[in-house]
Structures are given as structure tokens and as C-alpha cells.
Amino acid sequence: MEIGITIAFWVLAAVIIGAALAVVLLRNIFHAAIFLVLCFFTVAGIFIILSADFLAGAQVLIYVGAIGVLIIFAIMLTRETQRGNPSGRLRLPALIVGLLFLITMVAVVVSTNWNVVAEIPEPTISSLAQALFSKENGFVLAFEIAAVLLLAAIIGAIVLVREK
Amino acid sequence: MTVLQQFEQWLLNYWPSWAAYLVPALIAFLIIVVIVLVGALLFIYFERRFIGRFQIRQGPNRAGPLGILQPVADAIKVLIKEDIVPIKADRWVHYWAPIIAFFPVLMIFAVIPWGQGAIFADLNIGILYVIAIGSVAAIGIFMAGWGSNNKFSLIAGMRTIAQMISYEIPLVLSIVGVLIIAGSLSMVSIVEAQHVPFVLLQPLGFLIFFLAIAAELNRSPFDLLEAESEIVSGFHTEYSGMKFALFYLSEYAHAFAMSAVAVTLFFGGWGWALLPGPLWFFIKVFMLFAIFLWMRSTLPRIRVDQLMGFAWKFLFPLALINLFITAAEALIWPGFPWWLLFLNLAIAALLIVLWSGLFPVPGEGVSFNRYGRGIAKGMALTFRHLFRHPITVQYPEQKLTPAPRFRGYQLIWYEDQCNGCRACVRACPVSIIDIETQKGEKGLVVEKLEVDFGRCLFCGLCVEACPVQALFMSRDYEKATYRRESLVMNKEQFIAAEKRRSAYAYPDLEAEMPPQTLLAPPKEGR
């Protein structure tokens, strides 16, 4: 079992990195979007290896099902996608910002003390719900505020595109 | 513990752990593939026969007993066809699209509980997994539309995405009602929680779910992706051979999967069984699928704007209200006693009627009267058709009686009547009648008669011209030969031919003719 998980992890990691590179390097913007979806999907695989099944489901539902599809929808509505994805004048600034972001991420990942739970709580969903919504140490208020924020964003989008 | 896990435990006694883990998984995969293939073929057969009966036709009934081998024949045909890729297609996207459309559908079957303990993976997140994976299939369809480099396919792809974004929301919201009652996402727990089938406790939820999956599956009246009258066949216009077969298969496998999910969520899965669990489950799945077929054979396809409006203005608010009511009921009556079904049915009926009142038809008071009753009438009509005798003519065995004055393919000639006057030869506008006569004892005797029916117009002028009633049109209508020369009839053939006269130009003959039949004759005794 352990060997199987290790093999699965390395295969998934290779696919994720390959897909992510394809997203950045491919000229055809539609192909890039498809690889982005593949990348999201394999990240869900990593979540499954970590026994975070709810997170994996949410990853596929939100990232693949919603965000991936929305990106494809946006490409559909974009004109002149046939010319591909030409690089702009912002190459150098983009490189600098990207490198800074990478350094920050690596620093955070390395310096964080990752809590490893010895035993996986079963079932995961109800323990997740307990952690989120319990009366002590819960995040109900933050959750509700996020919901209100999203609702405000939706209404704002409707107001913006609405015909007068 | 499922059967598969027991098998794994048993294997652990003999094999190393990796093999004991891998082998049951492979076996499960094989079983799923077989179930999906057989199920999809059955569904295709079922659909074609059923739609036939709804339209008073026979449906396929030639290949094998009752036509049961028809889908097999179709599958073989489609596998050996040429695979054509358009020259300007995005080859890479075009190649992967059917595969990406099919695999998510296959994966849904992993969490469907066929019976007690008969499930491949009882995931904690069961129904979430189904929804998440199901949404991936739309990407495959969209890739097909994009990769074909065809305007119609692209429009279909666009419609897929728009349809999926719109209908995913009511779909998920309608499921949440069930989850509140069941208190779990696992498919097995949902089935076990159904002390009353949830369709009774969640009538509105089921209606929304059913319509939303009809849209997700692109079943009529939501089949805008392959609206033949507008965009040829939509996303699979440019597909042929094996790839087309994969799309076809995934469409039916998806219908199978979602019907099974609906049975699990709303109809008690394998529970409430009068028969062995899995069999009972399959019967329910087929019953539900039959409702899709019933809808398909009755309702016309709706317009794109109607499609979006229906999702956003009708299903979405109703799903929200349903969710709110269910949550309130969970607070007041946490056990969901069975008598709640009366309350919920009343609420559902009231909400549907009230909400449809928001979309008034100009000049009418209540729009539900028009649409609701219209749809109900149509459905009732097609349901009655189900029990009518099909009007299809089974051609070589059953033949129709033509009209009495039918002008059939050949002429009927009576040698003893003919006086060799050649009136027919002169009347023929295309000069295909050839007669040679000689003087005999009582006037002229026909030596040679040849008519080239390959060029005949069947105008009947020769029959009208005949002064001695020697020439008639025939009532036969089967004339298929492999060689043109066999269409030329000579004197011997005219004498030997079966004489089934038509009443053309001789109305007196009509009395002895059988009446014309337009439909297949009803069965004996009906």
C-alpha cells in the first residue's frame, strides 16, 4: 500500500508539473485551458492520497467543473483566439513577479510547521463540519461573511453588465 | 463491508498486500465496463423500441428475436466504419474529446449501490463525487465542438457549457434537500435512510432534479446540443466510426448512470424490494428511463433563451425555496415523519402553480392552465399510443392493397381479346410498345408483343386507347430486377403473367376490388 501511494504521488506530481508547464508554454490558448483543467484534476488526486476526500471532491467540482468550464467559456467569447497567445511587452516584469511569488511560496512551505494527524478522522466530512461550524473554535461568522461577500460580488457583476 | 472488500480480505490470506489490493480493483473495473456496455446497449434498444411504440411504430424488430440484436449490429457497424478527421480540425483536441466525455461517465458507476453491499466504493462523499465527476463530461463535449473546427459544432459546444453552468445549480440545490433528510453524502447511507422514499418527502426536489438531469443528459426537450433542425447534429457532426460510437455510448451510459443516481436518491435504491435487490434496482432504473423516453416522444425541443430562462427563473428560485422549507422542517420535525409527505406534496403543487403565475401568457389569466394542461394532454396522448397497435407495415410479409385504380408496373394483356389493331402502339407517347401481326383465320393474330417497362411512363394511355378491353393496368407494385433487359416483357411473359387487373379506365371493375389499405392491418381478432 505504502509503495503504491508513493508511486501514485510521483506520477501525479509529474503530471501536475507537466500540465502546469504546458499551460504557461503552449501558444494555443485553448490547449492551455485544457491542460489547466488536467492540472486541477491531478491536484484532486493528490488530495485523495492525503485522505482528504471532501477536498478532492470540492476541487473537482469547483476547479474543474466551474472554474475550468468558465475559463473555456471566456475563451469562447474572446475574439481572435486563432492567433494564439502572443507574449506581450511585460515579459521581464512578469518574470520578476513570478520569481518573487515562487520564493515567497517556497519560503512559506518550508517554514510552516505542518501538523500531521496520526489518525484520519472518519468520516471526514462531519469532522470538517465540526471544525468549521462548532460553537467553540468555529468559523461560522467568517463563513457567513464570505457568503455575503460572494453574494455582493454576484450582484455587483449583474449591475455592471446590465443594460440600462 | 462490501462484497469487494470481503474479497480483498480473503485474498490477503494468500497474496502479498499489493496484489490483494490491485486485483479486486481490476476486477471491479472490468465489471463496471461490462455493466456499462451491456446497460448502454440495453438502453439503446429500450429507447428505440419504446419511442417506436409511443409513435405507434414498431421500432427495430428484425435483428434477432424482437430486434434485440439491433444495438449489437449497430455497434459492429460503427466499429468498422472509417474514422474521418476534418483536415482543418484541431487533431489533438478532436482525438481526446470522446475519451474525456466517456471516462467521467464510467467513473460515476463506481459509487452506485446496486444492492445490499453491492457497491464498488462506498465513498464518504458519494453524491458529491457523482456531481463533481459528472461535470467533467461537459468539457469533453465542448472539446469535440471546438476541435471539429465547424461552426455548428462550436455552437453546440457553447450551448453545452451554457446549459451545464445553468442547470448544475438547481441540480445541486435539489440534492441538498435529500442530504438534509438523510444526513449523509454516502450513497449507501442515503438508501438506508429512506424509511419513506424521498420522492414523497421531496416531491419538488425530485421534479427539479429530474428536469435538471434531463438537461445535463441532453435529453429532449433539452437536447439543444444536437438539435438536428438547427445545427445538423451539433458537437458530433464531424465524428464518425469508433469516436462517434464513444459519444453515443457515453450519452446512454450517462443516462443510465443518472437514472441510477436518481433511483438511489429518491426511490429508495435497492430498498422497498418485492424482488431481489439488484433486480428491483434495475427495474426502477428502467422505469425512470422510460419517463425520459415518454418526455422525449411528447415534448418539442425548447428554444435556447427558454432553456436559460427555465433554469434561472423557474428551477433555481424553486430549488432555493425547497431547500429553505426542508431546512425549516429539519428544525421542527427532525425525524421527518411519514405524514410530512402530504404537507410537502401540497407545498410543491402550490409553489409550482404560483410560480408559473409569474410568467403570464398575454391575454390569459393563469399561464399554468395553458402550459401545464397542454403538457399533460400531450403526455396522455402519447401514453395512449403506447397501447395502440403499431401502424408500421412489415413490408415483405405484409403488403398493402393499392387503390382500385392504381397504375401498377406492368400491363395485363388478354390474347383472346386482342384484335391486333395497334391502337395502343399509336397512343404510347414514348413508343415502347412493339406489335407484329399476321393475318389469321378470324382477322389479325399477334405474332410478337414487346413492351420495354424500363422506359414506361405508366400514363395509361394505351389502356384508354384499347377498343376491345384487351389491355389493363396491373395492381402489382414490386418491380426490382438486377438487369435492365429483364424489364422488357415479351408475348410469352404477358400470357404467363399473373393477371391482377386494376380498375384504371374500367370503373366497373371497382366493385370486385378489395378496399385500399393505408396502415398495417390490425391483428387477427381486433
Side-chain angles (χ1 to χ4, degrees), chain A residues 39-110:
Chain A
C39 184
F40 289 153
F41 203 76
T42 35
V43 169
I46 293 280
F47 283 138
I48 290 174
I49 289 179
L50 295 174
S51 303
D53 49 3
F54 179 76
L55 218 52
Q59 166 85 11
V60 174
L61 185 64
I62 296 168
Y63 280 88
V64 178
I67 293 183
V69 167
L70 270 181
I71 287 174
I72 291 171
F73 200 54
I75 293 173
M76 291 279 315
L77 298 175
T78 314
R79 271 186 236 160
E80 299 184 17
T81 46
Q82 298 300 330
R83 277 199 290 166
N85 189 11
S87 49
R89 278 171 297 171
L90 295 173
R91 263 187 180 180
L92 198 64
L95 185 69
I96 294 168
V97 173
L99 272 180
L100 283 176
F101 184 68
L102 181 69
I103 291 167
T104 322
M105 287 297 284
V106 169
V108 169
V109 168
V110 170

Side-chain angles (χ1 to χ4, degrees), chain A residues 1 26 28-31 34-35 37 41 53-58 60-62 64-66 68-70 72-73 75-77 81-82 121-125, chain B residues 8 17-18 21 90 92-93 100 107 123-125 128-129 131-133 135-136 138-139 142-143 146-147 149 154-155 157-158 161-162 164-165 168 172 185:
Chain A
M1 280 295 286
L26 279 181
N28 187 324
I29 192 166
F30 186 72
H31 290 184
I34 299 288
F35 272 109
V37 169
F41 203 76
D53 49 3
F54 179 76
L55 218 52
V60 174
L61 185 64
I62 296 168
V64 178
V69 167
L70 270 181
I72 291 171
F73 200 54
I75 293 173
M76 291 279 315
L77 298 175
T81 46
Q82 298 300 330
E122 280 285 338
T124 43
I125 306 159
Chain B
E8 190 184 327
S17 65
W18 63 269
Y21 179 73
D90 192 334
W92 185 85
V93 177
I100 292 180
M107 286 168 76
L123 298 184
N124 272 324
I125 54 162
L128 183 73
Y129 169 87
I131 296 165
I133 289 291
S135 65
V136 178
I139 292 179
F142 183 79
M143 281 170 71
W146 177 279
N149 208 347
L154 195 58
I155 291 173
M158 186 100 171
I161 298 289
M164 207 205 86
I165 292 175
E168 195 91 321
V172 173
L185 289 172

